[in-house]
Amino acid sequence: MSSEAEAPASVPVPEEEDSSQSISKKAAKKEAAKQEKLRRRQEAAAAAAVSSLSVDEEGPLANNYGDVPLNELQSVNKPDAGKWTVAVNGKEWTKVGELTESMKDQEVLIRGRVHTTRPVGSKLTFVVLRQRGFTVQCVLSQKPDSVSKQMVKFVSSLNRESFVDVIGVVSVPGGPIKGASQQVEVQVRKLYCIGKAVPNLPINIEDAARSEIEIEKALQEGEQLVRVNQDTRLNYRVLDIRTPANQGIFRIQSWVGTIFREFLLSEDFVEIHTPKLIAGSSEGGSAVFKLDYKGQPACLAQSPQLHKQMSICGDFGRVFEIGSVFRAEDSYTHRHLCEFTGLDVEMEINKHYSEVMDIVGRLFVTIFDKLNEKCKKDLEAVRKQYPFEPLKYKTETLRLPFEEGIQMLKDAGVEIDPLGDLNTEAERKLGQLVLEKYGTEFYILHRYPLAVRPFYTMPCEDNPLYSNSFDVFIRGEEIISGAQRVHVPEFLEERAQACGIDVKTISTYIDSFRYGAPPHGGFGVGLERVVMLFCGLNNIRKTSLYPRDPLRITP
Ligand code: 4AD
Ligand code: MG
């Protein structure tokens, strides 16, 4: 769809979204009370656990383990060095992901979360330690000179997700280690807890990391595994984002921003930061958050549209911005958020708006190539939980005129208004047809009907019913809208009025063009959509760290 500021067409809502749609205020209150009760119970259990864990052992072996008191972690210049301080002094931390067989017999200091503990009787326990997606099996067995029975008990009763420092010796077992990423073990000599987790976590990381395929397979074999639904995940997002797939998703998201920035800087673009508190709506339509700005009516910016164009009038030539965008969306779909991250571009045009589409094509082929090259491990982690096929794209990006797209849909039996917008279903269908005909899941559809584009869009010279504008699709869903803009102030004013916009609220924007403005164009990208569709995910909430939608403003 051309302007996302308008109410989105209805979308078949994936099953897991239904639950939050039906949450009423009463149910939310009940849920909050339940959570509060659970939290109190957890606190009580944690307090009990702490007292039962207190180390009452005396003698030198007692120095090899225990909870590290806060004052030891508060300062480097401790008056009384505690046992942890003494143990780690002069040592460097090795990353769990860097533990290899070549380190056999070396003593290492590692830090990580207690992923699982598996006591075998009172004298032996296994602890899998996790650090940023990597895991290693640590073995603790009672030894007269280093490991006491109390130490085995202390380690066995550590709560999952607690943070610990381990000093131990790397060993290489005879066979493969199934439950850990690193194919070495650490024979524990010392272990200290530096950050305790409560005993009953609301989400188990193992459960949250499970794929639908695993759950289904187990079910067929008669075993019922826990399935964590989307709302529970989002309520406890801080736990949910610890899963390997989520770690992958947000590292991929970080790379998209980095590649976007690096590419544009290398093409002479200037990074800018525009205000999010503005006097009038930037995209028109009803999806705008209104607020009181010290007694004056104001809005949260629906895009940096107006200010990025004003910056072109200010002579930067080419600009881009990565920033928050706010839309007061009314409907609850798999691809609309009330706050998302916009990747925006604006540039002078020499001859034709195809120069803007050139940048889109080269920029996105670079992003896809580099993601495939740099994020292999992250993509694999996402694929393991949410299987998907790699994106099919060509080095030369396909540009399909809107009228041709309409014809393809008509030929396939889809009834469509040639001067109207495409709804979500038609966009999906066209995506399939383009894939069959051109072998790509990434393409540009351009020359949209003028009537479905925002007021600032330049009409086509040869036919004013159409416009110098485009949308860009991945797997049949929109990720970008862009266009050449009207840079002649009188015409811009006329277009704004024709689109029902109160010109007074955007007078400073329109005035910018009265002082001389070059022909220009640009586009806006939704970061969360790019990651969602590149990874073939079914819901934008999976690619927004702390999503904001019509029903959610926490955590
Ligand atoms: O299509 P939109 O509304 O276009 C603009 O904002 C123009 N100012 C762009 C331009 O430079 N002409 O939004 C741009 C992109 C969409 O293609 C979509 O990827 C994303 O922003 N987007 C949303 N993402 C998540 N939730 C929403 N509610 C979104 N609305 C738009
Ligand atoms: Mg759009």
Side-chain angles (χ1 to χ4, degrees):
M1 268 170 291
S2 53
S3 176
E4 299 276 333
E6 286 147 30
S10 71
V11 178
V13 180
E15 247 180 59
E16 55 181 357
E17 292 179 16
D18 282 346
S19 55
S20 30
Q21 212 165 12
S22 61
I23 289 181
S24 65
K25 270 191 186 156
K26 212 168 143 196
K29 253 190 187 164
K30 209 169 148 195
E31 175 66 19
K34 204 171 111 198
Q35 293 308 333
E36 180 57 20
K37 211 167 151 191
L38 177 69
R39 195 183 59 77
R40 286 216 199 103
R41 216 184 303 143
Q42 283 171 349
E43 273 179 7
V50 169
S51 61
S52 76
L53 282 184
S54 63
V55 178
D56 51 10
E57 183 179 9
E58 284 180 13
L61 296 193
N63 288 332
N64 293 344
Y65 66 101
D67 292 318
V68 182
L70 181 60
N71 69 338
E72 272 199 74
L73 297 161
Q74 269 175 313
S75 153
V76 274
N77 305 312
K78 295 151 197 94
D80 303 310
K83 47 193 176 182
W84 169 80
T85 310
V86 172
V88 300
N89 209 5
K91 293 189 172 68
E92 291 290 327
W93 277 262
T94 302
K95 290 185 184 136
V96 169
E98 288 169 2
L99 292 169
T100 59
E101 294 180 13
S102 67
M103 297 164 113
K104 187 171 180 281
D105 298 331
Q106 277 179 32
E107 188 182 84
V108 288
L109 164 63
I110 52 176
R111 174 169 290 187
R113 290 185 185 278
V114 175
H115 188 58
T116 55
T117 52
R118 186 163 56 89
V120 183
S122 60
K123 295 181 178 172
L124 175 68
T125 194
F126 294 92
V127 180
V128 173
L129 218 68
R130 190 183 81 239
Q131 188 185 43
R132 272 163 235 130
F134 297 97
T135 43
V136 65
Q137 175 151 280
C138 301
V139 187
L140 186 77
S141 60
Q142 194 190 337
K143 285 191 195 77
D145 56 337
S146 59
V147 176
S148 66
K149 209 170 161 181
Q150 286 94 321
M151 180 171 175
V152 176
K153 187 181 166 205
F154 171 81
V155 173
S156 301
S157 37
L158 282 168
N159 296 332
R160 281 183 182 210
E161 296 300 302
S162 297
F163 256 104
V164 293
D165 272 344
V166 171
I167 295 171
V169 177
V170 177
S171 66
V172 182
I177 305 172
K178 273 194 193 148
S181 64
Q182 306 312 108
Q183 292 305 301
V184 294
E185 283 182 338
V186 173
Q187 305 296 324
V188 180
R189 288 188 174 161
K190 301 180 180 190
L191 189 148
Y192 306 94
C193 182
I194 53 164
K196 220 186 290 269
V198 295
N200 298 311
L201 296 168
I203 296 181
N204 213 328
I205 308 301
E206 262 178 317
D207 294 336
R210 199 167 282 136
S211 73
E212 271 302 306
I213 297 173
E214 273 176 273
I215 295 173
E216 288 302 321
K217 198 170 155 225
L219 206 59
Q220 276 166 19
E221 288 160 9
E223 193 189 353
Q224 183 130 28
L225 298 175
V226 175
R227 176 188 274 125
V228 187
N229 77 29
Q230 178 121 294
D231 260 338
T232 309
R233 286 175 190 278
L234 297 180
N235 289 342
Y236 303 104
R237 192 61 159 160
V238 69
L239 285 166
D240 182 44
I241 54 186
R242 293 179 195 173
T243 63
N246 279 338
Q247 289 286 307
I249 286 170
F250 293 101
R251 288 193 159 81
I252 292 165
Q253 192 191 74
S254 163
W255 270 111
V256 174
T258 303
I259 306 163
F260 177 85
R261 178 179 278 120
E262 281 175 356
F263 177 91
L264 292 171
L265 290 175
S266 77
E267 297 272 334
D268 244 9
F269 283 79
V270 179
E271 180 164 12
I272 58 167
H273 303 283
T274 62
K276 305 304 158 212
L277 287 168
I278 58 176
S281 117
S282 45
E283 295 291 325
S286 58
V288 58
F289 284 107
K290 296 203 169 121
L291 55 95
D292 174 76
Y293 187 76
K294 303 263 174 206
Q296 287 178 52
C299 301
L300 283 179
Q302 293 162 294
S303 74
Q305 185 63 37
L306 309 187
H307 291 89
K308 67 178 179 174
Q309 282 188 259
M310 286 162 70
S311 306
I312 294 298
C313 296
D315 261 0
F316 285 110
R318 304 180 134 195
V319 297
F320 75 93
E321 176 165 13
I322 303 179
S324 293
V325 172
F326 303 92
R327 304 274 169 111
E329 299 289 355
D330 275 336
S331 39
Y332 191 90
T333 79
H334 75 288
R335 61 178 200 160
H336 287 91
L337 295 170
C338 290
E339 180 176 351
F340 65 93
T341 308
L343 308 174
D344 266 85
V345 170
E346 203 65 28
M347 59 191 265
E348 285 183 14
I349 291 173
N350 290 327
K351 284 159 100 178
H352 193 247
Y353 75 104
S354 60
E355 290 159 39
V356 184
M357 294 194 284
D358 283 343
I359 291 284
V360 170
R362 289 196 292 116
L363 167 63
F364 273 82
V365 168
T366 305
I367 291 178
F368 301 150
D369 283 350
K370 290 208 172 174
L371 288 182
N372 285 332
E373 174 201 326
K374 293 183 185 291
C375 302
K376 284 199 171 70
K377 204 186 132 271
D378 296 318
L379 288 165
E380 208 34 63
V382 179
R383 192 172 285 128
K384 199 164 168 233
Q385 184 165 3
Y386 307 110
F388 69 93
E389 289 295 319
L391 183 74
K392 295 187 184 71
Y393 62 98
K394 304 259 179 197
T395 321
E396 236 356 90
T397 304
L398 171 70
R399 292 177 197 178
L400 190 71
F402 187 84
E403 279 173 291
E404 228 172 288
I406 294 288
Q407 195 55 50
M408 284 169 74
L409 284 167
K410 275 193 180 151
D411 293 346
V414 182
E415 269 315 308
I416 214 102
D417 171 6
L419 289 179
D421 209 349
L422 295 181
N423 63 25
T424 314
E425 262 164 72
E427 285 177 348
R428 280 232 177 96
K429 180 70 188 166
L430 189 56
Q432 271 171 19
L433 297 172
V434 166
L435 176 61
E436 284 158 21
K437 186 166 175 190
Y438 297 100
T440 179
E441 290 174 299
F442 173 70
Y443 76 100
I444 303 176
L445 189 67
H446 70 119
R447 266 182 78 95
Y448 267 73
L450 183 66
V452 302
R453 305 302 287 200
F455 74 95
Y456 49 74
T457 309
M458 184 69 95
C460 283
E461 185 270 329
D462 59 342
N463 183 350
L465 287 178
Y466 288 91
S467 62
N468 288 356
S469 67
F470 58 89
D471 271 11
V472 184
F473 296 88
I474 295 183
R475 303 188 207 259
E477 294 198 52
E478 177 195 326
I479 57 152
I480 300 176
S481 284
Q484 180 180 355
R485 327 296 188 185
V486 176
H487 65 279
V488 179
E490 297 75 25
F491 188 28
L492 187 58
E493 206 163 32
E494 188 188 313
R495 289 291 309 142
Q497 264 157 1
C499 292
I501 289 169
D502 179 0
V503 191
K504 282 199 298 298
T505 62
I506 52 167
S507 61
T508 47
Y509 163 73
I510 293 181
D511 284 347
S512 317
F513 299 92
R514 301 191 202 282
Y515 316 132
H520 64 282
F523 58 93
V525 187
L527 173 63
E528 293 81 359
R529 286 215 191 158
V530 172
V531 179
M532 168 177 87
L533 295 162
F534 185 77
C535 294
L537 296 166
N538 64 357
N539 196 310
I540 198 162
R541 290 158 189 78
K542 288 194 170 82
T543 58
S544 170
L545 200 51
Y546 302 106
R548 297 302 185 237
D549 67 32
L551 294 168
R552 178 177 289 281
I553 195 173
T554 57

